Amino acid sequence: MMQTLGKIFLGKGTPIRHVLGKSKMLLGLLEGIPTMLKSEVAMLKMKPQLHYGEDDCPISAPDGFPKDDELHFEIELIEFFKAKVVTEDLEVIKKVVCEGQGWESPREPYEVKAWVSAKTASGKLIMSQKDGEPYFFTFGKSEVPKGLEMGIGTMVREEKAVIYVTSQYLTESPLMPVIEDSEVQFEVELVHFIQVRDVLGDGRLIKRRVRDGKGDFPMDCPLHDSLLHVHYKGTVLGEEKRVFYDTRVDNDGQPLDFCSGEGLVPEGFELCVRLMLPGEVALVTCPPDYAYDKFTRPSNVPEGAHIQWEIELLSFEMPKDWTGMDFKSIMYEAENIRNKGNRLFKEGKYELAKAKYDKVLREFNHVNPQDDDEGKVFSDTRNLLHLNVAACYLKLGECRKSIETCNKVLEANPAHVKGLYRRGMAYMANGDFDEARADFKMMMKVDKSTASDASAALIKLKQKEQEVENKARKQFKGLFDKKPGEIAEVNANEDGDHQVTRESQKDGEVREDASDGTNSEDSHEAVPDVDQRGWFSHFWPTGSRIFSSLGLQRCTIL
């Protein structure tokens, strides 16, 4: 928010700077100064209630001061301008001299180039930069005084400003020594800054923008799942001259084409590309667990090595907008996305699979079937999607969320067999055995054809109950056999609790064969084994290969 800042003389000495509406001022000054012109000298006559005699006056009068008398204030308004209040204590104020370009401002850990000069409040020059190169510093590294950095953090590219910093914020830095002065005025021109992003927040995955792209960040970035076209060059960090893969050389000059959100490229690579603008070039430093741990590591990349990618985002294609599409087309697009989710589920990429199912469910909020037939197809598909999400939650060990998702289906249709089975499995994995038994028995009651599946689940449930009971007996064996005053020894396995947890999670998982035992037509079908010939031979498909690798074939779902 911009505030009006005025510089006035109240008698002789150093001018006083006030921010109207923010600074503590006498009520009479607050009302009188806005009526003055630049360079005007005026006499303000104030009754007691408008100066120190005011109730709750923000400024204390010295002892013996005639605060109950009428006072005359001679004021010279030297200058006034719109100001940016950087700190709430008004110790750092910014005056914009020339507006800049864009809206993005530097922040930690951006790299900044700026012309900087400084002088005292009395006008004495401290330092000046007019020749050579602009001052270069990394935001957040204490390479400039704290108040100056805070002020620059409110600027945009090519902006010129004066930043007023009091002694409280004049910290030591390589730019200049600590000044023994109450205030320093910095004249700053923000030449350029490089966007540097700590993507994971722990300093391991760093994206550094080398060349600006086209558009506004982040509105024009491929944040949503899209078809991306990129060139990239990969090296081992610290060995930048030894390139292990370059699309312009090793891919016949063709870019890499891949769909985001499908686990086709290393996670660190995709996370950074999603934050790029078309035409942007970025340098990415990636740790091994986000680079190749889930892929076949290239033979010329040492185990545990950090990777550096130089990536250029050429362009991207957003997914189709369902607005205006007929029902049949919408369901076709929904099926394509579900099929991708099914493939990811079979590959064990449950978070990515869940994201696909969730995407369709969000889009379904805006779909309105026009007749009963469309309504049934829509309702059945939505139920299956919810159950797929529940299966993902169960695989991820989030049993309670799996149960809550199943309830979305069962609240509308309490006799939904697949919903009962999936919720029963989640209850069992969560240790809620009575609830699980009730769901499995309800299955048999509403659909006799599911008796074999429900019976198998009940047998498994009984086994789980027995395992838990035996574990408890073993753990507390002898605890109540001792005489008063004796200490019982518990001969339990030291990691017994962990073993129970692992067994519960294992038994609670959704079986990939026979769709959790229901043998229903909406199961996750098997997909071809992943090609493990090499990291880039599979995960950097080009041209027509991309579509075969996306698993776009028709298949039914869980």
Side-chain angles (χ1 to χ4, degrees):
M1 179 182 294
M2 303 300 290
Q3 305 288 334
T4 300
L5 187 147
K7 193 172 184 182
I8 62 176
F9 266 128
L10 289 174
K12 297 182 179 180
T14 303
I16 300 173
R17 184 178 299 107
H18 285 294
V19 180
L20 293 179
K22 291 286 186 177
S23 298
K24 294 181 179 179
M25 299 178 64
L26 298 177
L27 182 58
L29 294 178
L30 187 60
E31 295 185 358
I33 290 176
T35 67
M36 298 178 63
L37 301 175
K38 184 177 179 181
S39 301
E40 179 182 341
V41 178
M43 181 71 73
L44 298 180
K45 298 180 180 181
M46 301 183 198
K47 298 293 185 181
Q49 60 268 29
L50 293 180
H51 56 72
Y52 299 100
E54 172 197 358
D55 293 337
D56 300 323
C57 180
I59 302 175
S60 299
D63 293 339
F65 195 86
K67 62 180 183 179
D68 295 328
D69 297 335
E70 179 181 285
L71 299 179
H72 297 177
F73 291 82
E74 184 178 296
I75 300 175
E76 179 183 359
L77 181 59
I78 300 174
E79 63 174 344
F80 61 88
F81 49 83
K82 288 184 178 180
K84 168 68 177 179
V85 176
V86 180
T87 61
E88 287 300 318
D89 58 9
L90 308 182
E91 301 297 320
V92 182
I93 302 292
K94 184 186 77 171
K95 169 187 175 182
V96 177
V97 177
C98 181
E99 299 286 347
Q101 302 294 323
W103 63 271
E104 189 178 13
S105 298
R107 59 182 179 274
E108 187 178 351
Y110 284 23
E111 297 172 354
V112 180
K113 286 185 177 182
W115 294 108
V116 182
S117 61
K119 61 182 180 180
T120 65
S122 61
K124 180 183 177 181
L125 186 65
I126 301 172
M127 60 164 288
S128 178
Q129 280 190 322
K130 293 185 179 179
D131 300 320
E133 292 292 324
Y135 186 70
F136 174 86
F137 70 95
T138 301
F139 210 91
K141 297 292 185 179
S142 302
E143 296 173 359
V144 298
K146 180 180 178 181
L148 174 60
E149 183 174 76
M150 295 174 72
I152 292 176
T154 67
M155 299 176 67
V156 297
R157 285 183 177 88
E158 301 180 18
E159 179 182 334
K160 295 181 182 179
V162 177
I163 301 173
Y164 302 91
V165 182
T166 63
S167 57
Q168 178 182 344
Y169 292 90
L170 291 174
T171 56
E172 185 177 358
S173 70
L175 175 66
M176 55 181 285
V178 176
I179 303 299
E180 296 294 336
D181 206 282
S182 60
E183 180 183 270
V184 172
Q185 300 175 9
F186 293 95
E187 295 182 4
V188 182
E189 179 182 352
L190 183 55
V191 178
H192 184 65
F193 59 82
I194 296 173
Q195 185 192 75
V196 181
R197 292 198 169 272
D198 183 352
V199 180
L200 300 177
D202 58 9
R204 297 191 304 137
L205 180 59
I206 301 296
K207 172 186 171 289
R208 182 178 182 272
R209 180 186 288 173
V210 177
R211 187 182 74 194
D212 291 342
K214 298 178 180 177
D216 293 323
F217 179 89
M219 290 77 74
D220 296 316
C221 295
L223 299 176
H224 302 287
D225 293 348
S226 308
L227 176 60
L228 304 163
H229 311 285
V230 303
H231 270 305
Y232 80 95
K233 179 169 61 177
T235 61
V236 175
L237 186 64
E239 301 180 25
E240 284 71 26
K241 293 184 179 180
R242 192 177 71 175
V243 179
F244 64 79
Y245 196 90
D246 188 341
T247 52
R248 291 184 170 87
V249 176
D250 302 305
N251 201 37
D252 299 325
Q254 297 299 311
L256 163 68
D257 302 329
F258 73 97
C259 284
S260 56
E262 299 186 14
L264 299 173
V265 299
E267 189 174 358
F269 189 98
E270 180 170 322
L271 286 172
C272 292
V273 173
R274 284 178 179 266
L275 298 175
M276 296 178 66
L277 294 166
E280 178 182 337
V281 176
L283 202 61
V284 173
T285 302
C286 184
D289 54 328
Y290 279 80
Y292 53 75
D293 275 8
K294 298 178 182 178
F295 295 81
T296 302
R297 178 169 48 85
S299 59
N300 54 350
V301 174
E303 183 177 357
H306 284 61
I307 299 298
Q308 180 170 283
W309 287 301
E310 182 182 290
I311 306 172
E312 179 182 2
L313 175 59
L314 302 175
S315 61
F316 66 91
E317 301 171 24
M318 293 289 289
K320 288 184 179 179
D321 185 357
W322 291 8
T323 304
M325 295 174 59
D326 58 41
F327 184 78
K328 183 177 180 180
S329 299
I330 288 175
M331 299 309 294
Y332 176 79
E333 292 297 326
E335 182 179 349
N336 282 339
I337 299 174
R338 292 202 311 269
N339 288 339
K340 294 176 184 178
N342 296 342
R343 175 180 62 81
L344 292 166
F345 186 93
K346 291 298 184 182
E347 293 174 1
K349 300 171 182 176
Y350 306 120
E351 287 282 8
L352 294 176
K354 176 180 169 297
K356 294 297 182 185
Y357 302 139
D358 282 337
K359 173 181 172 59
V360 180
L361 286 169
R362 286 195 302 270
E363 294 291 345
F364 271 11
N365 291 331
H366 309 289
V367 176
N368 297 305
Q370 299 300 310
D371 53 44
D372 291 342
D373 290 339
E374 289 185 357
K376 186 178 187 308
V377 171
F378 178 77
S379 178
D380 290 345
T381 303
R382 185 172 55 188
N383 286 340
L384 296 178
L385 284 165
H386 280 308
L387 295 180
N388 280 357
V389 172
C392 292
Y393 275 134
L394 196 57
K395 287 289 190 179
L396 294 169
E398 299 187 55
C399 302
R400 184 54 55 188
K401 289 185 178 180
S402 181
I403 294 168
E404 292 172 355
T405 306
C406 291
N407 287 339
K408 295 179 180 180
V409 175
L410 293 169
E411 285 172 0
N413 183 4
H416 197 287
V417 174
K418 302 178 188 65
L420 289 168
Y421 187 87
R422 181 67 34 80
R423 189 174 68 177
M425 296 298 288
Y427 274 138
M428 182 166 62
N430 201 48
D432 301 324
F433 299 138
D434 291 340
E435 291 83 353
R437 183 179 293 104
D439 278 348
F440 296 144
K441 288 184 177 180
M442 179 61 72
M443 282 177 59
M444 292 187 288
K445 182 177 181 180
V446 300
D447 189 345
K448 301 297 184 183
S449 66
T450 65
S452 60
D453 296 325
S455 297
L458 287 168
I459 293 173
K460 185 65 177 177
L461 176 63
K462 187 174 182 180
Q463 292 173 347
K464 287 293 299 178
E465 287 181 303
Q466 190 64 44
E467 289 172 5
V468 172
E469 183 178 350
N470 291 341
K471 196 70 174 179
R473 287 180 177 177
K474 183 178 179 181
Q475 183 174 359
F476 297 103
K477 181 180 180 181
L479 184 62
F480 303 104
D481 298 337
K482 299 295 180 179
K483 296 179 181 179
E486 292 183 338
I487 300 177
E489 295 182 0
V490 180
N491 297 320
N493 192 323
E494 291 182 358
D495 62 344
D497 291 341
H498 300 292
Q499 184 176 350
V500 172
T501 302
R502 290 195 298 270
E503 291 175 352
S504 298
Q505 290 178 343
K506 180 178 178 182
D507 292 334
E509 287 180 350
V510 180
R511 299 291 183 183
E512 292 189 7
D513 55 322
S515 181
D516 300 343
T518 58
N519 294 316
S520 63
E521 74 284 356
D522 56 318
S523 63
H524 283 115
E525 293 186 353
V527 296
D529 292 337
V530 176
D531 182 3
Q532 296 294 338
R533 291 173 296 175
W535 181 19
F536 294 100
S537 65
H538 177 75
F539 292 103
W540 309 125
T542 61
S544 60
R545 290 184 57 206
I546 183 67
F547 297 102
S548 63
S549 69
L550 296 182
L552 296 180
Q553 69 276 10
R554 284 177 64 92
C555 67
T556 52
I557 65 171
L558 190 66

